[in-house]
Amino acid sequence: MNYFERKIKGIRTTWQEMSQGLQMIVKGLKERPLAESLKLFWDDLFANRSLSQWLYLLVLGSFPLWLELYYNHQVRDWVGMTCSLTGIICVIFVSEGRASNYFFGLINSVIYLILALQEGFYGEVLTTLYFTAMQPIGLFVWIYQSQFKKKEQEFVARKLTFSNWLKYLLITAVWWLGFGLIYQSIGARRPFRDSVTDATNGVGQLLMTAVYREQWIFWAATNIFSIYLWWGESLQIQGKYFIYLINSLVGWYQWSKAAKKDGGSV
């Protein structure tokens, strides 16, 4: 069996598993009373959270409101504040392993998509369309893995070699310049500011899939460039990415410890 045959077989197996999983989830939801489903959602939102987790959520979650009151002395940008708040809650819930992160992620993606369209940031529109579509898919995979498949996966954080660093930096540069020229040709605002976040997002996702700790450097770069992209346009969106940047630095620290513990580069 050659490489392509193995890949096709793997895709077919995954598709069959996902189809069976979807049927199991639908069947389970039909058999479960509405009150029980609502209780599961409520528990996922609030149950099993320590005091430190509550404080972390409240402090970071209050940042958008504090930003409005500090600079405007009242809430003026309700849309931007809602986008910022739902995004912050989403990333915190992801770190806590709560499936309800997808509920807030979907709200955040839809609002951010509208804002990016209004500003003419076509790169952000393209990226957000992908993230919006992935919210229900991600929720399905999350529920299927945790409730039905129950397969433990070993986590091993890896480090990039020097040659791999060069490869991924080259991919980032080509991605950035290529999409920047495309966005420039269709009249996008700030085309090369816009495309750089496409590149860092894309490469970050590749590294995340391959379990490399360096993904957090690219996520941090995405957040920094996103703050730059939205400079002078929306204080709330800049604030959201500032909180994301903090989360990226925490992630880098945690994954660096894991990579040091597990061994060498790959």
Side-chain angles (χ1 to χ4, degrees), residues 21-211:
L22 179 59
Q23 292 173 8
M24 293 170 67
I25 291 172
V26 171
K27 182 181 178 181
L29 290 174
K30 286 181 178 179
E31 294 175 350
R32 179 176 288 125
L34 177 61
E36 186 179 342
S37 297
L38 291 175
K39 183 180 183 303
L40 287 174
F41 180 68
W42 179 267
D43 288 344
D44 189 75
L45 283 172
F46 298 108
N48 301 319
R49 179 178 282 117
S50 66
L51 177 60
S52 60
Q53 287 177 320
W54 273 113
L55 290 174
Y56 187 73
L57 176 64
L58 291 172
V59 170
L60 293 189
S62 65
F63 184 77
L65 178 60
W66 173 84
L67 206 59
E68 281 291 298
L69 296 178
Y70 182 80
Y71 283 99
N72 298 323
H73 307 295
Q74 60 179 324
V75 180
R76 294 181 181 176
D77 186 8
W78 283 98
V79 175
M81 190 180 76
T82 303
C83 183
S84 179
L85 177 60
T86 52
I88 291 169
I89 293 175
C90 176
V91 297
I92 293 174
F93 279 17
V94 169
S95 67
E96 293 179 353
R98 297 177 185 270
S100 50
N101 79 82
Y102 289 102
F103 172 74
F104 293 96
L106 181 60
I107 297 173
N108 174 258
S109 295
V110 171
I111 297 175
Y112 189 76
L113 179 62
I114 295 170
L115 293 176
L117 274 169
Q118 290 176 343
E119 296 296 335
F121 297 155
Y122 299 139
E124 295 295 281
V125 170
L126 186 63
T127 302
T128 307
L129 280 172
Y130 166 74
F131 285 134
T132 302
M134 285 303 295
Q135 296 306 310
I137 296 173
L139 177 59
F140 159 63
V141 174
W142 194 302
I143 294 174
Y144 173 54
Q145 292 286 354
S146 62
Q147 297 297 324
F148 296 98
K149 199 168 184 181
K150 296 186 182 299
K151 178 182 177 182
E152 269 193 44
Q153 296 182 344
E154 182 181 358
F155 169 76
V156 178
R158 304 193 295 174
K159 296 184 288 185
L160 287 178
T161 61
F162 179 74
S163 59
N164 275 336
W165 256 115
L166 293 178
K167 179 180 75 173
Y168 283 109
L169 287 175
L170 178 61
I171 292 172
T172 303
V174 172
W175 201 324
W176 167 46
L177 293 173
F179 275 88
L181 291 171
I182 292 172
Y183 298 150
Q184 187 178 56
S185 69
I186 60 176
R189 292 184 60 204
R190 304 173 178 176
F192 290 96
R193 288 197 206 182
D194 201 352
S195 64
V196 72
T197 56
D198 286 353
T200 52
N201 259 318
V203 174
Q205 186 63 56
L206 291 175
L207 294 174
M208 178 180 176
T209 303
V211 203

